[in-house]
């Protein structure tokens, strides 16, 4: 009787095995695994700490699981076939979700890089490098404008050009294609004194302001032999209306490119 039961079990296992081999739609019990790495480079300029969770697990750097200022982490994990990683960044105190990423298994190394302060998130910071100056004594700039239309509500959807002038009105360069997620072309010119320059923001390829009926200028400083990545940031007045554009944030001060 015992032998009959054993034979029956072997027969059943053989049938199940042959059936699984014949059906290509079935998912293997053991999914393919390979090593993965998430490179995190960030800067949190707020007093509130932020936390970074990968598939719900809050990551640590040393013994810390919440961060201000520089955030540098190479996070190693296992990539399972067809199982993406969800990266969620939150304010630790308020639990507000600040940003999220969806990491697929297509690459063995993924990079997220960001700068965060109140009401501002600059993503993919390391997607470009500062421009290389071609001559000693020059100054150079690239621009990005993540808060474009946040308060101005201009209705203009395209990119901008920045016409850069010295205080005497002389045009020294034009930064083309400034976007919300796209850095402008690199513009360089000889640095001079006084070091103050003014940049007029206009619709791409025109001399027309992006805010109807209002000329928009940004005041900046130029520094000899320095190349900058400037974040343009719309500001509001106490009544909530657009007031000006800040251009003091230079990403080169916070990241190693």
């Amino acid at each position: 009787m015992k032998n009959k039961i054993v034979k029956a079990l072997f027969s059943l296992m053989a049938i199940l095995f042959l059936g699984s081999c014949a059906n290509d739609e079935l998912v293997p019990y053991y999914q393919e695994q390979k090593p993965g790495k998430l490179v995190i480079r960030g800067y949190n300029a707020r007093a509130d700490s932020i936390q970074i969770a990968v598939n719900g697990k809050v990551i640590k750097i040393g013994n810390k699981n919440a961060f201000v200022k520089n955030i540098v982490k190479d996070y190693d994990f296992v990539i399972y076939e067809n199982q993406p990683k969800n990266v969620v960044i939150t304010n630790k105190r308020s639990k507000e979700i600040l940003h999220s990423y969806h990491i697929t298994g297509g690459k063995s190394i993924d990079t997220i890089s960001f700068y965060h302060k109140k009401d501002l998130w600059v993503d993919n910071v390391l997607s470009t490098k500062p421009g290389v100056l071609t001559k000693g004594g020059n100054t150079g700039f690239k621009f990005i404008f993540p808060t474009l239309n946040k308060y101005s509500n201009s209705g203009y959807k395209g990119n901008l050009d920045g016409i850069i002038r010295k205080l005497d009105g002389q045009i020294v360069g034009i930064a083309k294609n400034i976007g919300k997620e796209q850095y402008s072309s690199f513009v360089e010119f000889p640095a001079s004194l006084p070091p103050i320059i003014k940049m007029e923001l206009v619709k791409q390829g025109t001399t027309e302001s992006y805010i109807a009926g209002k000329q928009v200028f940004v005041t900046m400083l130029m520094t000899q032999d320095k190349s900058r990545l400037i974040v343009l940031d719309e500001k509001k007045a106490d009544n909530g209306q657009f007031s000006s554009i800040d251009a003091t944030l230079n990403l080169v001060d916070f990241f190693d490119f």
Side-chain angles (χ1 to χ4, degrees):
M1 181 68 180
K2 185 176 179 181
N3 289 338
K4 288 183 178 180
I5 294 174
V6 172
K7 288 181 179 179
L9 287 172
F10 273 114
S11 298
L12 178 60
M13 291 173 65
I15 291 170
L16 290 173
F17 176 76
L18 290 172
S20 67
C21 291
N23 188 349
D24 292 335
E25 299 297 317
L26 292 179
V27 178
Y29 181 78
Y30 294 104
Q31 296 189 53
E32 180 186 356
Q33 301 178 24
K34 57 183 179 179
K37 178 177 286 188
L38 178 62
V39 176
I40 302 170
R41 300 291 184 267
Y43 193 92
N44 173 27
R46 297 186 67 171
D48 289 348
S49 298
I50 64 174
Q51 291 186 311
I52 304 172
V54 180
N55 280 6
K57 179 182 178 183
V58 176
I59 68 169
K60 289 186 175 183
I61 300 177
N63 60 356
K64 294 182 179 179
N65 65 4
F67 318 107
V68 293
K69 298 186 178 179
N70 285 304
I71 304 165
V72 177
K73 174 70 173 177
D74 290 355
Y75 179 76
D76 294 305
F77 57 90
V78 175
I79 299 173
Y80 293 94
E81 185 179 5
N82 299 321
Q83 290 189 5
K85 294 286 182 182
N86 293 309
V87 181
V88 179
I89 303 175
T90 58
N91 180 305
K92 182 181 180 181
R93 180 180 58 82
S94 68
K95 307 304 180 185
E96 174 192 2
I97 295 177
L98 303 171
H99 208 81
S100 61
Y101 301 89
H102 190 68
I103 307 297
T104 66
K107 294 187 292 185
S108 59
I109 300 178
D110 279 282
T111 300
I112 61 175
S113 56
F114 60 88
Y115 177 96
H116 171 58
K117 69 176 183 178
K118 186 178 180 181
D119 299 325
L120 178 68
W121 185 279
V122 186
D123 202 16
N124 297 320
V125 170
L126 300 181
S127 65
T128 191
K129 293 181 181 294
V132 178
L133 297 171
T134 61
K135 191 179 296 184
N138 277 7
T139 186
F141 295 87
K142 286 184 183 180
F143 300 92
I144 192 168
F145 199 171
T147 57
L148 175 62
N149 285 324
K150 184 173 184 177
Y151 301 115
S152 62
N153 298 311
S154 72
Y156 176 68
K157 305 296 184 182
N159 287 350
L160 305 178
D161 289 343
I163 304 172
I164 304 173
R165 296 182 175 91
K166 296 198 294 186
L167 290 182
D168 63 5
Q170 177 190 354
I171 295 176
V172 291
I174 299 177
K176 298 180 179 180
N177 263 335
I178 306 170
K180 296 185 72 169
E181 299 177 357
Q182 174 182 318
Y183 289 88
S184 72
S185 61
F186 177 57
V187 56
E188 70 170 310
F189 47 88
S192 60
L193 295 176
I196 301 170
I197 50 177
K198 295 183 74 174
M199 181 170 72
E200 182 181 7
L201 292 171
V202 297
K203 296 178 181 178
Q204 184 183 1
T206 76
T207 57
E208 179 186 350
S209 174
Y210 83 97
I211 301 177
K214 181 182 180 69
Q215 281 188 297
V216 182
F217 292 96
V218 178
T219 302
M220 300 177 294
L221 294 176
M222 54 180 164
T223 306
Q224 184 174 305
D225 299 321
K226 297 291 185 182
S227 183
R228 299 179 174 184
L229 287 174
I230 298 295
V231 178
L232 302 176
D233 185 18
E234 284 195 354
K235 297 297 183 182
K236 64 179 178 179
D238 292 338
N239 61 4
Q241 299 299 308
F242 170 80
S243 62
S244 61
I245 296 174
D246 180 79
T248 58
L249 174 55
N250 176 22
L251 295 175
V252 175
D253 293 336
F254 301 94
F255 293 87
D256 294 325
F257 293 90

